[in-house]
Each structure stands twice: as C-alpha cells, then as structure tokens.
Amino acid sequence: MTDIIKIAVMGAAGRMGRMLVAEIIARDECILSGASDVENSPYLGEDAGILAGCCNIDIKLTADSAHIIAKSDVIIDFTTPKSTIAHAKLAAQAGAAHIIGTTGLNNDDEEMLNIAARHITIVYAPNFSIGVTVLMELTKRLAATLDEDWDIEILEMHHRNKVDAPSGTALALGKAAATGRKTDHDSKRQSTRDGNTGARKAGDIGYATLRGGDVVGEHSVIFASDAERIELSHKATGRQIFSRGAVRAAIWAKTQSHGIYNMADVLGLND
C-alpha cells in the first residue's frame, strides 16, 4: 500500500490556505500534517479543518513553521516572498518538498530557491491551474510556429481588489510566447499604451489589463495577422482550481529528485 503523504499548509488561515486544507482533507492520498500562520494571526490555536469549513481534525494553527515542516513530507506555500524564502530554508533542512504559489519573488529570492533545490524538490509556478498550464504550453508552441507577422497581445481581467498589473499569469504567458519565439521578453514587453503611441513595433508582446467585479481570472493570448486571428483563452470561475493543482503537485513532488520544477513538469508536458 502506498504511504500516505503528509502535507503542511503555510498561511492556512488565508483564503487560499483554507482551500488547500479542504482539498487535502478531501483526498485519500494525503493527510494534513500541520497548518501555520503569522505570529500575530488571530486564528492561532484554532482548528484548521473548522477554519476550512470542513470538520474538526485536531490540527491547530501555529506560528511555529519549523516544527510542522520538520514532520511533513511536503509543504504548500501561498504566502509572501519573505515568508516563502524562510520556509524554503527550513524545508531544505528538513528534507521536505516545497510547493510555491507565492508571487512577487525577485531575482535574489529565486536564487535562494535554486540553492534550496540542491537539497529538496521544489515546484514553483505562477499559476497552479491545470488549464492555465496547458494554455502556457500552447502559447509557447504557437509562438514558435508563427513568425513576427503575427502580433502577440495578452488580455487579462481580475477582480476589483487585485493590486498588481499585469497579473503574474499574464506575464508568464508573455514569457512563454517569448520563449517560443526565442526572443527576450523584457525587451519586447509593452504594458502601457496611452495617447499618441505611434504604430505597433514588430515583435512586441503587448498587455492589456481589466479590473472589475469579482472576476477570479480571465486570460487571452491573441495572435493577430493580416486577415486572420487566433485566440487562446482560459476563464477561471472558482479558486479551487488553484488548490486542486497545488495538491496534485504536492503528491507528484514526493517521488521526484531534487531540483526546481513547474506545473508543466507535473502534467508531463516537458517530457
């Protein structure tokens, strides 16, 4: 019989943290081994299962991340860059795989992940949706097929409270397109158009951002040429797609060798 995988959730009191806890409870392959939150959280000491809207599972939220990481096979982390890097160091010491959905990590942070990945398995992705992962792969392949006669534009929409733009997923789609086209994303990125901008430059990767309502996330990659257009789109109607994908990644990571992977690896798209 396959061993049950012990998974801890960092930031378990947050919206995504609660969904992760609920997803782990619902799965047969894994159990919740611990749940953490920040030191000043009002939820410390509360049962993680009850917070997630499930049942009492006798796992209390704690600020002692080191303790729960040490007794886990895998940790899932949708927190902040500072916390994620601290967790990566603890996971490397404990030998626990690390699933990272945190956004906003800078180059120095990512270098720290590379160091940690010498000792553990890390799955680091801007979006854990299975559908978005497939969209990224299709974007890369289509960009590799079509030349610069095809303009690339990325349109995204999120809820009114989202504070960053373009979204991390939109940027990841743009980088996938740049990879497919074998060009440098940052030099081709065009995020702002206002006033008399002049004609579009060949090879640019353009971004447009919409904000409003309670939209979970919508992304479209548009390839436009003379007299024809190809559009690839994904629409998320519930955030459980992210928790479902992250737990799938956690189960997959348990049996992988050390290194940094992404969701395309989890789905076998990089094989």
Side-chain angles (χ1 to χ4, degrees), residues 2-37:
T2 303
D3 291 339
I4 299 297
I5 301 170
K6 295 174 290 189
I7 304 175
V9 174
M10 321 311 289
R15 178 170 58 183
M16 182 54 62
R18 297 184 192 204
M19 296 185 74
L20 288 164
V21 169
E23 181 69 22
I24 293 167
I25 292 172
R27 301 288 291 258
D28 294 330
E29 310 97 317
C30 54
I31 60 169
L32 185 71
S33 55
S36 77
D37 208 19

